[in-house]
Amino acid sequence: MSSVLRPAIPGQEPAIADQQPITADGYRPISSHLAITPPVSVVIPAMNEAENLPYVFKTLPDWIHEVVLVDGNSTDDTVEVARDLWPGVKVVEQQGKGKGDALITGFEACTGDIIVMVDADGSADGNEIVSYVSALVSGADFAKGSRFANGGGTDDMTPIRKLGNWALCTVVNKKFGARYTDLCYGYNAFWRHCLDKIDLDCTGFEIETLINIRVVKAGLKVQEIPSHEYLRIHGASNLRAVRDGLRVLRVILKERSNRRALRSRSHSRALSTGRGEVS
């Protein structure tokens, strides 16, 4: 893996989606003045999102290495539309249920060094991926999208959801020593090797909070990326503010409890070792 940035070859444009946009010396141009070496995988969990996928795919940069679509047993033309829009798309059938399960399934299927999480409802702008990737190749382990960082925004949050997100974010910052401005947002990117350190094991919408907490607990370097969240274009969200807010809170409490238990065990081992040396 390399975290080197260098100018792209002058006059060379990124290739179209079904080609490998890699130069002779191994660099992948992503703009007229920037190139990277790490391949980038984009994971899109989707269930019955055929109408939204055209809006999602049209903003994805053509220099990415692969698109992994995790299909949650769609009954519409989600898979067919994805294959028409991006001929090289890797379709993975989800065996379980829930967004967390879909993302974990997608992560396992990725072959790129960098993984980007993108929702399938059209709320995320794929043109922002360059900012996430730039942060990672510049030294961050985890590039966290934020709707409330300077330059970010949202068209899709009710006052009650904003209040809930703020409250939960405040708790995580206080309990885990984080400095997040946004907590429950699914547009993030990270180096694939980070998965070995955060060990994901939940199935629902709370997956995003779990990732944010375990990234901090693992001591990984985080950089927030200002991001704008747009309205879902077609269909209705499965998100339920109260229900999912409580699930997020349970994750926070569980992770806090696990952290205390780990500290207690470590302290006990240290005392035990100390007594053994004295005797």
Side-chain angles (χ1 to χ4, degrees):
M1 178 195 318
S2 172
S3 57
V4 178
L5 293 106
R6 63 169 290 179
I9 296 177
Q12 181 168 351
E13 296 297 326
I16 59 176
D18 59 349
Q19 294 179 336
Q20 291 294 325
I22 303 175
T23 64
D25 55 358
Y27 284 85
R28 185 183 308 270
I30 64 176
S31 73
S32 60
H33 60 282
L34 179 65
I36 62 173
T37 55
V40 177
S41 299
V42 174
V43 176
I44 306 176
M47 184 174 69
N48 297 329
E49 298 284 9
E51 290 185 291
N52 290 321
L53 288 184
Y55 300 92
V56 177
F57 277 81
K58 76 177 181 180
T59 67
L60 294 180
D62 49 19
W63 46 262
I64 61 178
H65 166 63
E66 67 181 353
V67 175
V68 178
L69 181 91
V70 184
D71 179 50
N73 301 304
S74 297
T75 56
D76 65 0
D77 297 329
T78 291
V79 173
E80 291 76 11
V81 169
R83 285 175 171 152
D84 287 341
L85 294 168
W86 200 280
V89 66
K90 180 186 291 186
V91 176
V92 181
E93 297 294 336
Q94 183 180 358
Q95 301 302 313
K97 293 182 179 180
K99 184 176 183 179
D101 180 83
L103 284 171
I104 293 170
T105 299
F107 297 160
E108 291 174 349
C110 289
T111 61
D113 291 333
I114 290 174
I115 298 175
V116 185
M117 304 157 49
V118 176
D119 287 340
D121 58 5
S123 62
D125 182 0
N127 291 306
E128 294 178 359
I129 290 177
V130 64
S131 298
Y132 289 82
V133 171
S134 294
L136 294 176
V137 298
S138 296
D141 297 306
F142 182 69
K144 187 196 178 312
S146 174
R147 296 161 292 187
F148 304 111
N150 187 28
T154 178
D155 301 330
D156 194 30
M157 286 191 79
T158 62
I160 188 64
R161 284 180 57 202
K162 284 184 179 180
L163 178 61
N165 185 66
W166 172 83
L168 293 168
C169 188
T170 299
V171 172
V172 167
N173 287 344
K174 182 177 180 180
K175 297 300 183 182
F176 298 95
R179 296 182 178 180
Y180 294 136
T181 60
D182 197 354
L183 184 68
C184 307
Y185 190 42
Y187 199 174
N188 305 298
F190 52 89
W191 292 101
R192 186 174 59 174
H193 67 78
C194 294
L195 291 171
D196 297 330
K197 300 179 180 180
I198 59 178
D199 190 25
L200 302 176
D201 55 6
C202 72
T203 61
F205 280 104
E206 67 272 19
I207 184 74
E208 292 143 7
T209 296
L210 183 67
I211 291 173
N212 293 335
I213 292 174
R214 291 191 176 171
V215 160
V216 173
K217 290 171 67 175
L220 299 177
K221 183 177 180 182
V222 179
Q223 181 172 333
E224 285 198 331
I225 306 298
S227 178
H228 192 96
E229 178 187 40
Y230 296 90
L231 290 170
R232 163 182 277 275
I233 299 172
H234 295 286
S237 172
N238 292 321
L239 181 66
R240 298 293 180 268
V242 175
R243 178 200 66 187
D244 294 311
L246 289 174
R247 292 182 68 166
V248 168
L249 181 59
R250 281 196 292 270
V251 164
I252 294 172
L253 296 176
K254 180 180 178 182
E255 290 300 301
R256 179 62 176 170
S257 176
N258 289 345
R259 188 181 188 187
R260 286 176 176 170
L262 181 61
R263 280 182 179 175
S264 178
R265 288 195 297 269
S266 298
H267 183 62
S268 297
R269 284 196 297 268
L271 290 176
S272 176
T273 301
R275 285 194 298 268
E277 290 175 349
V278 171
S279 60

